[in-house]
Amino acid sequence: MPLRLDIKRKLTARSDRVKSVDLHPTEPWMLCSLYQGNVNIWNHETQTLVKTFEICDVPVRTAKFVPRKNWVVTGSDDMQVRVFNYNTLERVHSFEAHSDYVRCIAVHPTQPFILTCSDDMLIKLWNWEKGWIGQQMFEGHTHYVMQIVFNPKDNNTFASASLDRTVKVWQLGSSTANFTLEGHEKGVNCVDYYHGGDKPYLISGADDKYVKIWDYQNKTCVQTLEGHTYNITAVCFHPELPIILTGSEDGTVRIWHAGTYRLESSLNYGFERVWTIACMRGSNNVSIGYDEGSVMVKVGREEPAVSMDSVGGKIVWAKHSEIQQVNLKALGEEAQDGERLPLAVKDMGACEIYPQTIQHNPNGRFLVVCGDGEYIIYTSMALRNKAFGQASEFVWAADSSQYAVRESNTTVRVFKNFKEKKSFKPDYGVDGIFGGYLLGVSPGCGLSFYDWDTLKLIRRIDIQPTHVYWAENASLVALATSEQYFILKYHADAVANAPENSEDIEDAFEMVAQISEVVKTGLWVGDCFIYTNSVNRVNYFVGGEVVTVSHLDRPMYLLGYVPRDNRLYLCDKELSVVSYSLLLSVLEYQTAVMRKDFETADKVLPTVPKEHRTRVAHFLEKQGFKEEALAVSTDPEHRFELALALGDLNTAHSLAKEANSQQKWRQLASLATQKGKLCLAQECLHQAQDFGGLLLLATSTGNASMIQKLGTDADDTGKNNISFLSYFILGDLDKCLEILLKTDRIPEAAFFARTYAPSKISSIVKLWKEKLSAVSEKAGQSLADPEQYENLFPGYREALKVEQFLREESKKKIPSSAFPTVQSNVDRKPFEEMLAAEQENRFKANVNIDESMTTTAGVITNRLQDLNIGGKLISPAEQASAPEKTVKSNSSSRPLTVEEDDLDLDLEIDDNIDTTGVNLDDDLLEED
């Protein structure tokens, strides 16, 4: 299988000539040293320049990160080594390291050392923990030393490249070289070590335009790479991929296969000469420095070559050419969600090809390794070779004995029991194939499904997928594209009942859902599609609902699900394996609900732990099964919402009692009112202390005793507005005055008394005078008491007499059923009613009225048109226990008031009083 070298440019940074590049291991940073004397740090994720160091006026030929110290170390043509803190941009240290240009710096992976090499033909070791003392000098080269690099497998040795046409290998502690590699015809510019454990190789590039691969154990050249047309300036073994990268003054970067040395690709971004290349372990990023700037590219897939046999609980992966296995059954302690599993790795042996992908077959007995245009099928237990062949792509069928390969862009071959069964050439070519219950073939513009046995075309679909995932029972399939994924239902019966020669059967698939998420990796458990997406979340889709299992802190890849452990396993590109709990019982229940198999669902439900039942209930609710959700849910909040939605007042009432939340009582009161359950609504409003709602309910139903209780409760809780209004409706003027006085509203009390209770004016005016005199003596004395200045209050005595009459009238009870026949306040004349009552001996006043004082009923009763003083409306229940009385007047009489131009009464008693409490929903008013 040819290397899948998907190369994507991640950053293009125009600048002066770049002499060296480096990558930070944890931050998304690329370090560039420039010929003009500066050092830049670019963020390759945001494509922005984040830091700049002005080093000197001469070329900075090398710069390296020292992450454990937060440093950048630079070497330049002024012979200086400078150290900067890349967080504060402060210079930590500088010293003269050589007597000529500093060409390269290498940082020891673990020790506090750096190596420097120079045009003075020397290599020096510096120890920063000892004040940057020069700890050792290495002599032996006879020309400029161009590059040095530590051996990743033995940090005590390093290699150097020199214009004296040699590569030398050195050891720390020895001032002379261990050995010298000779073979280049011109000066050697660059050198690098192979990172894999299987080959003791070095690579070098020189001005003779050749790249040489060396076996440093045998001290021989094993391969020479030809193709560049100018001097080789940079070479690199990629630490993660089986590739070699070489850069040249011809402006190209060439990518070679590290095993076959075949040229795979050539990059030319038009930035003139290439000077440097940098890679980093654990990353597919490659940074390149040119005459006109720097470029970062991402090479190949980051997804590791790994596969899991969910049945056997074993994971197999490839590290370079080595195949390794871990057994999940050997895990002793219970795994914690998201924590790396302590796995015991077993080496199974080396593979003859470089593995790019590994796949178990459905029953887990075999696994296939693909790479280098070939595939090899092994037994999964002992890694014995079972079959092999040429293939650009390989897929397994749902039937474990079948598989298919794509040899080219035209031919697909199908095998059964390791023998070729059929081959065919689709009409529109083959860009990709997909395994599973049906054989998927993509010509690059859509997807065609074929029957494995007959190769009959089942259906063409106008979707260009990147992955196809089949459910185990073949009833569902997920098609993942570069922007979204689709869930389709497969109708096997429609295919089976179709005419024998029919193709492209329209009824074969039915669209179930279309979700705008990018699927990175996925698998099915029952009818639940589990996947990782582009923003590093683990989700699963079932029944139109997407549930998030976990948020990941890095890209991870699904391996499989083990039903026995109820755990989902994932790994990252470093092959660190983690797991998450995902209950099979929950997935089985949701699957049964999706199939509307409630008999099975009821059997599965007892196996679902109580702490997970609320999640199940939410799922049921979204499917429209609210009654079932109410029965399943264990979350009181969720149950209350469901009870309200279902109109289940009994359940909602019991839940509201348990929670004793004012918000819940209000919600239940609204529902009870809508359903006409006014007794329940009254209880809920009392529990919620919703005095405004209670006032509306009481007045709407003519319930005087309820208003009485409301006035008392509101008074006790300091809701003065509601309390005042309640007593006002009841005609309890004395209590209204008491509330005004209690809240220090003495002027309002005086005007209230002047209008409604003239007998109280004198006592209140005394209090008003006392209070006002404390502020202004003159203003206090200007207040007139009707007992002292009766001439200023015309009709005062008649008003007292009318007050007595109305107070007597207010004691009468009027049944609510008499409301339609009661005379309106506007039409009543209380003064005339009083005179008539006196004549009929129904009323005798205790006030002596001077005959010389004249007044009219209109002056006395000008304002009070809305006060129920003449009597109280009582409900039919109260009427049954009340004595019979002859009713003449309404529940209110027209009260005594001041003249039209007098000051209006402001009933807002306290700034802290809730004056909006009396407003309920329009719907509630309509129901009432």
Side-chain angles (χ1 to χ4, degrees):
M1 181 179 292
L3 289 175
R4 293 184 178 177
L5 291 178
D6 300 326
I7 299 173
K8 297 180 180 178
R9 195 177 343 180
K10 296 183 65 178
L11 172 67
T12 301
R14 292 275 181 180
S15 67
D16 190 34
R17 183 185 304 169
V18 177
K19 296 303 293 181
S20 78
V21 289
D22 194 22
L23 296 172
H24 197 283
T26 57
E27 300 289 344
W29 291 349
M30 178 178 72
L31 179 70
C32 305
S33 69
L34 307 184
Y35 195 80
Q36 69 180 19
N38 290 352
V39 170
N40 293 335
I41 297 179
W42 292 84
N43 185 316
H44 54 76
E45 288 184 354
T46 62
Q47 302 188 10
T48 55
L49 178 65
V50 292
K51 300 175 191 293
T52 297
F53 303 88
E54 295 182 359
I55 307 298
C56 54
D57 296 329
V58 293
V60 181
R61 295 186 183 271
T62 181
K64 288 288 193 297
F65 282 120
V66 186
R68 59 188 184 272
K69 301 294 288 184
N70 298 331
W71 285 347
V72 168
V73 183
T74 68
S76 49
D77 282 6
D78 58 3
M79 291 85 80
Q80 295 280 321
V81 169
R82 296 176 175 87
V83 185
F84 294 85
N85 185 306
Y86 56 63
N87 288 330
T88 64
L89 305 183
E90 295 178 340
R91 190 170 70 181
V92 177
H93 193 66
S94 66
F95 59 94
E96 185 173 312
H98 291 272
S99 58
D100 209 335
Y101 298 169
V102 179
R103 288 281 178 178
C104 185
I105 293 174
V107 182
H108 195 283
T110 57
Q111 298 295 324
F113 302 151
I114 66 167
L115 282 171
T116 60
C117 63
S118 167
D119 285 1
D120 63 7
M121 301 178 287
L122 299 178
I123 303 169
K124 296 183 179 181
L125 179 71
W126 309 89
N127 188 327
W128 68 68
E129 285 190 353
K130 294 183 179 180
W132 293 97
I133 186 174
Q135 194 158 307
Q136 193 174 352
M137 186 182 300
F138 303 88
E139 298 182 77
H141 281 297
T142 57
H143 209 309
Y144 302 165
V145 185
M146 302 299 289
Q147 189 175 4
I148 44 179
V149 60
F150 278 105
N151 187 343
K153 296 175 228 173
D154 179 5
N155 300 151
N156 286 322
T157 62
F158 65 93
S160 60
S162 171
L163 294 188
D164 63 9
R165 306 180 185 180
T166 67
V167 173
K168 292 182 181 289
V169 175
W170 312 76
Q171 186 164 345
L172 299 182
S174 173
S175 59
T176 57
N178 291 356
F179 56 87
T180 301
L181 300 174
E182 300 183 40
H184 282 290
E185 299 175 1
K186 292 187 178 180
V188 183
N189 294 311
C190 43
V191 65
D192 192 25
Y193 276 97
Y194 179 69
H195 292 259
D198 54 337
K199 299 172 184 176
Y201 283 0
L202 272 169
I203 184 172
S204 61
D207 289 343
D208 58 10
K209 308 172 191 175
Y210 295 136
V211 175
K212 290 187 178 290
I213 314 295
W214 307 87
D215 183 327
Y216 57 77
Q217 285 186 347
N218 297 330
K219 304 175 183 59
T220 57
C221 176
V222 296
Q223 187 74 27
T224 299
L225 306 181
E226 303 180 34
H228 285 291
T229 56
Y230 285 93
N231 302 342
I232 309 298
T233 54
V235 292
C236 178
F237 276 115
H238 198 285
E240 299 297 326
L241 300 171
I243 58 173
I244 297 167
L245 298 109
T246 60
S248 165
E249 290 183 34
D250 62 13
T252 67
V253 172
R254 300 197 173 209
I255 301 175
W256 315 76
H257 194 292
T260 63
Y261 306 113
R262 179 180 66 238
L263 179 64
E264 295 286 343
S265 183
S266 182
L267 308 178
N268 189 340
Y269 293 111
F271 276 38
E272 299 299 333
R273 294 175 293 183
V274 178
W275 293 110
T276 177
I277 299 174
C279 303
M280 182 177 63
R281 181 172 290 278
S283 171
N284 284 22
N285 293 330
V286 176
S287 55
I288 310 163
Y290 293 88
D291 268 335
E292 297 182 1
S294 50
V295 172
M296 173 173 283
V297 295
K298 179 181 175 181
V299 180
R301 306 186 318 157
E302 289 196 348
E303 187 173 343
V306 59
S307 179
M308 176 175 168
D309 171 21
S310 297
V311 178
K314 293 181 180 179
I315 301 173
V316 176
W317 61 54
K319 280 197 171 180
H320 297 285
S321 294
E322 300 295 322
I323 306 296
Q324 298 177 328
Q325 184 187 80
V326 296
N327 190 349
L328 298 175
K329 293 180 180 178
L331 289 172
E333 57 190 42
E334 186 175 344
Q336 298 296 318
D337 284 0
E339 291 189 4
R340 181 174 179 176
L341 299 179
L343 300 172
V345 178
K346 173 186 174 183
D347 288 324
M348 299 185 70
C351 184
E352 292 89 338
I353 59 178
Y354 187 90
Q356 276 190 270
T357 62
I358 295 177
Q359 302 175 60
H360 280 91
N361 75 330
N363 64 20
R365 293 182 55 198
F366 301 103
L367 60 90
V368 62
V369 178
C370 302
D372 300 339
E374 300 178 41
Y375 71 91
I376 304 175
I377 300 175
Y378 295 98
T379 58
S380 60
M381 295 294 291
L383 208 66
R384 285 195 293 269
N385 193 322
K386 192 71 177 176
F388 63 91
Q390 300 293 319
S392 298
E393 204 169 357
F394 180 104
V395 294
W396 292 105
D399 173 7
S400 297
S401 64
Q402 294 191 89
Y403 60 89
V405 299
R406 176 174 68 89
E407 284 191 351
S408 63
N409 289 341
T410 59
T411 305
V412 176
R413 299 185 185 276
V414 179
F415 294 78
K416 186 166 186 176
N417 296 325
F418 310 107
K419 294 181 180 180
E420 185 173 345
K421 178 181 173 183
K422 286 185 179 180
S423 67
F424 73 109
K425 297 182 178 183
D427 297 338
Y428 302 100
V430 187
D431 280 356
I433 58 174
F434 303 96
Y437 187 75
L438 298 176
L439 173 62
V441 177
S442 172
C445 55
L447 176 66
S448 298
F449 281 115
Y450 294 86
D451 182 87
W452 279 95
D453 294 324
T454 64
L455 293 183
K456 183 179 79 171
L457 175 64
I458 302 297
R459 188 77 174 102
R460 282 195 181 93
I461 300 175
D462 291 331
I463 295 174
Q464 182 62 49
T466 55
H467 298 89
V468 174
Y469 304 97
W470 281 91
E472 293 176 9
N473 61 7
S475 64
L476 293 168
V477 61
L479 307 181
T481 71
S482 58
E483 296 179 350
Q484 56 193 328
Y485 69 91
F486 302 85
I487 304 295
L488 306 182
K489 185 174 183 62
Y490 176 62
H491 297 289
D493 53 347
V495 175
N497 296 330
E500 185 175 348
N501 296 324
S502 62
E503 292 191 344
D504 199 8
I505 304 164
E506 291 188 8
D507 297 333
F509 290 93
E510 174 191 349
M511 173 78 78
V512 173
Q514 177 180 349
I515 309 296
S516 296
E517 278 195 295
V518 178
V519 174
K520 294 296 186 183
T521 55
L523 58 89
W524 286 89
V525 177
D527 285 0
C528 300
F529 178 54
I530 307 170
Y531 61 95
T532 58
N533 65 11
S534 56
V535 292
N536 299 332
R537 289 182 189 165
V538 183
N539 293 342
Y540 71 83
F541 171 92
V542 60
E545 179 187 7
V546 175
V547 180
T548 297
V549 177
S550 177
H551 297 257
L552 307 173
D553 58 358
R554 62 192 184 279
M556 301 201 79
Y557 311 94
L558 286 175
L559 295 176
Y561 180 78
V562 179
R564 181 190 68 251
D565 302 332
N566 288 317
R567 299 199 74 81
L568 181 70
Y569 292 89
L570 305 91
C571 77
D572 60 15
K573 61 186 178 183
E574 299 293 329
L575 299 174
S576 300
V577 179
V578 301
S579 69
Y580 290 91
S581 175
L582 190 60
L583 290 182
L584 180 62
S585 57
V586 173
L587 300 181
E588 286 178 342
Y589 185 89
Q590 292 174 327
T591 299
V593 170
M594 279 306 301
R595 294 172 181 167
K596 296 185 179 179
D597 183 1
F598 288 101
E599 183 179 348
T600 302
D602 291 340
K603 291 178 182 178
V604 174
L605 183 61
T607 65
V608 177
K610 288 187 177 180
E611 61 269 22
H612 292 273
R613 292 195 181 182
T614 299
R615 180 193 294 180
V616 171
H618 280 290
F619 172 76
L620 285 166
E621 182 187 7
K622 288 189 176 181
Q623 300 308 309
F625 305 119
K626 292 185 179 180
E627 291 182 3
E628 290 81 357
L630 179 60
V632 169
S633 181
T634 58
D635 179 10
E637 295 286 337
H638 187 221
R639 296 191 71 227
F640 184 77
E641 291 174 7
L642 288 169
L644 290 181
L646 291 167
D648 187 346
L649 292 175
N650 292 332
T651 303
H653 185 228
S654 62
L655 290 168
K657 273 185 175 179
E658 291 174 9
N660 197 23
S661 160
Q662 289 190 4
Q663 178 62 26
K664 284 187 173 57
W665 285 118
R666 285 194 183 95
Q667 289 176 273
L668 183 55
S670 178
L671 179 63
T673 305
Q674 290 174 23
K675 289 187 169 289
K677 305 295 183 181
L678 300 184
C679 291
L680 178 59
Q682 180 180 347
E683 179 191 349
C684 296
L685 290 170
H686 271 297
Q687 294 288 351
Q689 294 188 341
D690 186 350
F691 297 112
L694 283 167
L695 181 63
L696 180 58
L697 182 61
T699 54
S700 300
T701 56
N703 193 333
S705 60
M706 185 176 173
I707 296 178
Q708 181 68 50
K709 185 177 187 310
L710 173 61
T712 304
D713 291 346
D715 196 18
D716 292 342
T717 54
K719 301 294 184 182
N720 298 313
N721 267 1
I722 299 294
S723 177
F724 181 92
L725 192 54
S726 298
Y727 289 119
F728 191 70
I729 291 171
L730 292 170
D732 192 342
L733 302 177
D734 293 338
K735 193 65 178 176
C736 290
L737 282 170
E738 181 186 326
I739 293 171
L740 289 169
L741 294 174
K742 183 176 67 175
T743 55
D744 201 27
R745 296 298 183 93
I746 297 174
E748 289 91 332
F751 281 102
F752 184 85
R754 175 74 176 90
T755 307
Y756 303 115
S759 63
K760 304 290 185 180
I761 295 176
S762 184
S763 60
I764 295 174
V765 167
K766 289 182 176 62
L767 293 174
W768 192 5
K769 275 189 175 186
E770 184 181 339
K771 180 178 180 181
L772 189 55
S773 296
V775 180
S776 170
E777 182 69 27
K778 186 176 180 179
Q781 294 303 320
S782 67
L783 294 175
D785 186 341
E787 294 291 341
Q788 297 175 2
Y789 302 96
E790 194 170 315
N791 61 308
L792 297 178
F793 297 87
Y796 175 65
R797 294 294 174 180
E798 286 96 334
L800 293 176
K801 192 173 179 180
V802 172
E803 180 188 357
Q804 286 184 10
F805 170 73
L806 293 178
R807 282 180 182 270
E808 290 295 327
E809 288 285 306
S810 68
K811 296 177 182 178
K812 296 179 180 179
K813 301 291 185 180
I814 304 174
S816 55
S817 59
F819 180 79
T821 62
V822 173
Q823 188 179 18
S824 171
N825 282 336
V826 177
D827 300 329
R828 291 185 61 194
K829 298 177 181 179
F831 182 72
E832 294 178 5
E833 291 176 16
M834 178 199 71
L835 294 177
E838 280 186 327
Q839 291 174 2
E840 297 171 6
N841 292 322
R842 290 185 289 105
F843 171 72
K844 185 176 171 98
N846 294 325
V847 180
N848 294 322
I849 301 177
D850 190 346
E851 294 294 336
S852 62
M853 296 180 66
T854 60
T855 184
T856 63
V859 173
I860 298 173
T861 61
N862 192 10
R863 287 289 181 86
L864 191 58
Q865 297 179 1
D866 55 352
L867 175 62
N868 297 327
I869 291 179
K872 299 175 184 173
L873 285 174
I874 60 173
S875 65
E878 294 173 313
Q879 179 185 353
S881 60
E884 291 189 11
K885 292 187 187 236
T886 302
V887 177
K888 177 184 178 183
S889 63
N890 186 3
S891 60
S892 71
S893 297
R894 187 168 180 81
L896 187 66
T897 183
V898 294
E899 296 291 346
E900 291 293 341
D901 56 346
D902 286 340
L903 179 64
D904 288 337
L905 175 63
D906 181 3
L907 292 181
E908 187 176 345
I909 308 303
D910 193 331
D911 291 338
N912 296 322
I913 295 171
D914 179 8
T915 60
T916 63
V918 295
N919 295 323
L920 289 187
D921 292 340
D922 292 339
D923 294 342
L924 185 58
L925 291 171
E926 290 172 5
E927 289 290 333
D928 290 332

